[in-house]
Amino acid sequence: METVRQAPSRDRPATYSMLPAPGELPVATWRLEHGWESTGTFEEHAHDFPGVAYFETAGGQLRTGRRTWPIEAGDLFVIAPGDVMGHIHATDLAHTQGWGVFFTADALGPDAPGAHLAWRTHPLLFPFVRGGAIGALRMRVPEPDRPEWAARIQALHHELAQRRDGYREAVPAHLTLLLVAVSRLATDVVGDLRENREPLLAAVFEVIEQRYPQPLSLRDVATAVSISPGHLTSTVRRRTGRTVQEWITERRLVQARRLLAATELPISEIGRQVGFPDAGYFARTFGKVHGMSPTQWRRAGADPGKRPRR
């Protein structure tokens, strides 16, 4: 798997893009351990594709955003497109072993609602939404689950390395299971943000989580967190690459997708339940984000053979 480096500019570091060879799957696994940086140059940088770094043992450190994390056994770093990663020194990963898994947004198949649901179903969509300023999000895999996580990533790695018959079907399946596990682990984004020393973002997302089914505006959120709307807008955009209103819309659409997939509620009722009392506005907003109407999205999930193409 080849990566292409885009030169740094005044306001952003060097950014890497994943460039699969013709016919190659857009998924890559890398063993993370002492000496791995010798295969390339790893100055402060970002990726325009998502990934995760999972560490099986303690030791060394990882620089991400404004922080340097001592690596502990079971650490999982969720790296969103645009997250800034620090310079990797030769000794940073000494005495530790782990895995990196990186992929492009179409790795699970184009226009597949199931694929989006597999890795974008967390209520706040924080795990793989463009961060740009915060750096990777750190989570912890519980000790009893760690052998399963290592085995899951190793199975994905072996499929990519050996390319046996059926690997094109096996790789997306293994990746889907891994990303579902990431989403399930991220059960408390607000708590993770507080641990990552982002108290304002934690407060903003807590307000959105509690009040998204109701009328909710930027001014409402700003009042709830005791900050001016202008300051809140600039801070949230700088920290996450999105506005408060975009986060409110995303949270509503996550729940809308869940209701479309899991219930037979009328489209207008789903819109009402997630904060869109105007059915027409709900349909237009959903279509703008997904490239298809709520009805088409529901139909595509029920019958993959009828998925609309963009």
Side-chain angles (χ1 to χ4, degrees):
M1 180 69 63
E2 183 180 354
T3 56
V4 177
R5 179 180 180 272
Q6 302 170 27
S9 65
R10 183 176 59 85
D11 58 350
R12 66 172 176 80
T15 301
Y16 288 84
S17 299
M18 184 180 291
L19 185 64
E24 188 178 20
L25 293 174
V27 183
T29 56
W30 293 317
R31 191 67 170 145
L32 303 177
E33 55 193 356
H34 179 63
W36 82 287
E37 71 139 7
S38 61
T39 61
T41 300
F42 292 95
E43 75 274 50
E44 182 177 87
H45 65 284
H47 313 107
D48 65 4
F49 50 87
V52 298
Y54 171 64
F55 291 95
E56 301 166 78
T57 61
Q61 59 189 3
L62 189 71
R63 296 178 175 86
T64 167
R66 299 184 297 274
R67 300 200 61 177
T68 298
W69 294 98
I71 295 172
E72 300 181 19
D75 272 351
L76 177 72
F77 292 89
V78 178
I79 305 166
D83 281 347
V84 177
M85 306 299 293
H87 181 85
I88 299 175
H89 298 283
T91 58
D92 281 356
L93 300 181
H95 313 300
T96 189
Q97 291 186 329
W99 289 95
V101 179
F102 295 91
F103 54 96
T104 66
D106 61 344
L108 301 177
D111 301 323
H116 290 287
L117 283 171
W119 65 283
R120 300 192 69 187
T121 52
H122 189 272
L124 299 178
L125 291 183
F126 199 81
F128 290 105
V129 172
R130 177 174 295 277
I134 301 175
L137 180 67
R138 182 197 195 204
M139 296 187 288
R140 180 65 58 80
V141 175
E143 186 171 0
D145 299 338
R146 292 172 191 171
E148 182 181 358
W149 273 75
R152 184 181 290 120
I153 298 174
Q154 288 170 12
L156 173 61
H157 174 75
H158 290 153
E159 289 291 347
L160 287 167
Q162 298 173 9
R163 300 192 179 189
R164 295 177 296 178
D165 289 347
Y167 90 100
R168 288 186 171 277
E169 292 73 31
V171 167
H174 284 298
L175 180 61
T176 297
L177 291 174
L178 175 65
L179 297 178
V180 167
V182 172
S183 291
R184 289 174 176 171
L185 188 64
T187 54
D188 185 8
V189 164
V190 170
D192 288 324
L193 285 170
R194 289 196 176 111
E195 181 179 337
N196 281 267
R197 299 179 184 175
E198 292 286 350
L200 176 60
L201 290 184
V204 168
F205 286 150
E206 193 165 35
V207 172
I208 293 173
E209 179 62 22
Q210 292 173 352
R211 297 172 56 180
Y212 76 86
Q214 309 158 15
L216 184 62
S217 67
L218 165 65
R219 186 170 297 277
D220 295 331
V221 177
T223 299
V225 299
S226 302
I227 190 174
S228 73
H231 187 193
L232 181 61
T233 295
S234 61
T235 301
V236 172
R237 185 190 289 276
R238 185 174 66 252
R239 293 284 199 273
T240 72
R242 292 191 173 195
T243 67
V244 172
Q245 191 58 55
E246 286 172 334
W247 278 112
I248 295 170
T249 299
E250 280 285 5
R251 178 59 184 102
R252 288 169 170 167
L253 292 181
V254 170
Q255 186 64 12
R257 292 196 297 269
R258 288 177 166 174
L259 293 174
L260 287 167
T263 76
E264 296 182 359
L265 288 170
I267 302 300
S268 59
E269 176 61 18
I270 289 176
R272 189 191 66 78
Q273 287 194 19
V274 303
F276 293 99
D278 184 322
Y281 180 61
F282 169 54
R284 289 192 298 274
T285 302
F286 192 98
K288 182 178 179 180
V289 172
H290 298 90
M292 64 185 82
S293 70
T295 301
Q296 289 173 315
W297 197 95
R298 171 180 271 172
R299 187 183 304 123
D303 185 354
K306 295 181 179 180
R307 288 171 185 154
R309 307 300 294 181
R310 294 184 189 178

